[in-house]
Amino acid sequence: MNPVYGLGAIVRHFAIDGAFVDAAPYGSGHINDSYCAVFNGGAARSRYIVQRINHHIFKNPVAMMENIERVTGHLAAQVTGDPDGDRRVLTLIPTRDGASYFHDEAGNYWRAYRFIQNATTYDAVESTAQAFEAAKAFGRFQQMLSTLPAPRLHDTIPDFHHTPRRLLALEKAIEADVVGRAATSKPEIEFALAHQSMVSELLNANLPERVTHNDTKFNNVMLDDATGEGICVIDLDTVMPGLVLYDFGDMVRTTTSPAKEDEQDLSRVTMQFPMFEALVRGYLASASSFLTPAEKRYLAFSGKLITFEIGIRFLTDHLAGDTYFKVHREGHNLDRCRTQFKLVESIEQQEDRMNRLVESLA
Ligand code: ADP
Ligand code: GN1
Ligand code: MG
C-alpha cells in the first residue's frame, strides 16, 4: 500500500481499537475521497473504509449523515439475528465523542465504515448472474426502506434526478462555453438537443415517491466472493426520496454494457439483452410485491432516460471545465458522455423488445 500522510491524525478521532498502520486510496468513485485504513490490534489486523465527504457537492454533510444514520439503523434492525447481518448493512464507526462524522480544522467532513469482508465491487459487469444479484440487492434495499418511519429524509442534492433541470444546466453550459469546448463537442451537443423530448416523461407519469438510493451504479453493490450474492448496498450519500425508476434506470446504465463508463472504443458499448433480462428478473424477485403497474411499465424507458441524464451531466461538466466529476485524463468527461449516448442509441434500437420482455415478466 502507498501510505497517505495525514490520515493517521484523522482516524485517531474514530472509536477504533488498535494502532493505525497505514491507509491508501480506495475504489473508483467520482465524488468523495475513499481510503482503506489498516489497524493493528495485536494478533489481527483490521480494515476500515474512511471517506472524506465532498462538501462542495454535498453542501449539507450534517443532514446527509443524519440520513445515513437513520437508513443504516433501519436496515440493521431488519437483519438482526442473521449470522451474516454485519456484512449486509454498512456500519458507521462513531467518533470518540459519539458523532457519526468528524469535522476537521480545515473544514473537511470525514466518516468511517466497518470494512465488508470477502465481498467485491466491480466497475464492469461480467455475467448475467452478477446483474441478477445486483438488481435483487437494490430491490431488497428499496423494500427494506419502504418502512422507514417519518420524517421524510433530507434531499442531499436537490433535483438530483430532475432531468429537465439537468438539460437546462447543459443549455446554460453550452451558452457560456467557459473553456471553449463547445465547438469540439458538437456531435454530442446535437445528440443531447435532439433527444430532449424524453426528459419530462417520468415526472409527468404521477409515480409514487419512495425512499430510493439514486446512485445504483454496479460498483455500489458488493457481491459476496463465495456465493456471488449482492450482499451489501453501499454509497448511501444520495439515499433520499425519489422514484424507484431512477434506481432501476441507473442499473440498466451501468450493468447492461460490458464496457466501462469511460471506454474509448465505442464499438464495445452496447445494451446486452440477456443482461437486461437478468436485471428485470433480479429486480422483480425482490421488488415485485410493492411496485405499481405504472412503475413496471417504465422499467425499460428508465434505462434510456437515466443513461441520457448522466450523459448530459458528463457533457455539462466537460463544457464547464471538469469541476464536478473527478477526471484522470484530457477529455475524460467527454469520453464518458460518448459511452452514455452510445448506450442510449443501443437501448432505442432494442426498446420494443425490452418492453415486451418486461410485460411478459411483470
Ligand atoms: P464513492 O462515493 O467514491 O463511489 P463508495 O462509498 O462507493 O465511494 O466507496 C468506494 C469503494 O470503496 C467502493 O466501490 C467499494 O469498493 C469500497 N467500499 C466502500 N465501502 C466499503 C465497505 N464498507 N467495505 C468494503 N469496501 C467498501
Ligand atoms: C457519481 O460517487 P459515484 O462515483 O458513485 C455521481 C452519480 C453519477 C456517477 C456516474 C453524487 O457517483 O450521480 O451517476 O458518478 N454521484 C453524485 O458514474 O453526483
Ligand atoms: Mg461508489
Side-chain angles (χ1 to χ4, degrees), residues 28-261:
S28 50
H30 297 337
I31 310 292
N32 297 314
D33 296 321
S34 302
Y35 304 91
C36 175
V38 181
F39 284 74
N40 205 339
R45 286 193 162 200
S46 50
R47 288 180 292 175
Y48 296 85
I49 292 290
V50 178
Q51 296 179 314
R52 182 171 64 175
I53 297 163
N54 185 330
H55 60 270
H56 303 291
I57 286 179
F58 294 102
K59 294 197 166 55
N60 190 346
V62 176
M64 178 176 94
M65 291 311 295
E66 202 179 296
N67 276 4
I68 294 180
E69 275 189 89
R70 287 179 57 203
V71 164
T72 53
H74 188 73
L75 295 172
Q78 292 176 72
V79 298
T80 41
D82 181 329
D84 230 5
D86 61 352
R87 293 173 69 238
R88 294 189 180 278
V89 181
L90 282 179
T91 309
L92 281 166
I93 308 289
T95 61
R96 297 203 181 273
D97 46 19
S100 61
Y101 61 90
F102 170 61
H103 192 193
D104 73 15
E105 284 163 6
N108 293 306
Y109 292 82
W110 297 84
R111 67 171 168 237
Y113 286 116
R114 192 187 289 167
F115 195 94
I116 312 279
Q117 311 277 355
N118 306 319
T120 306
T121 54
Y122 300 81
D123 287 338
V125 67
E126 291 169 358
S127 66
T128 51
Q130 284 186 338
F132 179 93
E133 290 297 336
K136 190 171 161 200
F138 282 123
R140 180 154 185 264
F141 180 86
Q142 291 175 342
Q143 184 255 319
M144 290 202 289
L145 288 176
S146 64
T147 53
L148 185 77
R152 191 176 183 271
L153 290 173
H154 303 287
D155 289 300
T156 58
I157 300 182
D159 295 332
F160 192 57
H161 280 296
H162 195 293
T163 321
R165 297 208 176 119
R166 295 292 188 182
L167 183 67
L168 223 57
L170 171 64
E171 285 166 351
K172 280 196 182 138
I174 299 169
E175 176 85 23
D177 195 17
V178 287
V179 285
R181 289 175 170 173
T184 49
S185 313
K186 240 179 149 189
E188 291 75 26
I189 291 173
E190 276 166 11
F191 185 96
L193 299 179
H195 282 77
Q196 54 183 298
S197 62
M198 73 169 115
V199 296
S200 300
E201 204 158 325
L202 285 189
L203 293 172
N204 291 339
N206 205 13
L207 300 168
E209 180 181 279
R210 303 184 191 274
V211 175
T212 51
H213 183 284
N214 298 302
D215 188 8
T216 56
K217 245 169 140 162
F218 185 53
N219 69 12
N220 283 334
V221 58
M222 303 205 67
L223 303 183
D224 185 279
D225 290 339
T227 64
E229 181 191 353
I231 189 120
C232 188
V233 168
I234 61 168
D235 207 343
L236 307 179
D237 299 346
T238 52
V239 177
M240 60 182 152
L243 303 184
V244 290
L245 293 157
Y246 300 152
D247 285 359
F248 189 77
D250 209 37
M251 294 179 218
V252 175
R253 178 180 84 81
T254 58
T255 314
T256 61
S257 169
K260 288 196 180 162
E261 193 179 60

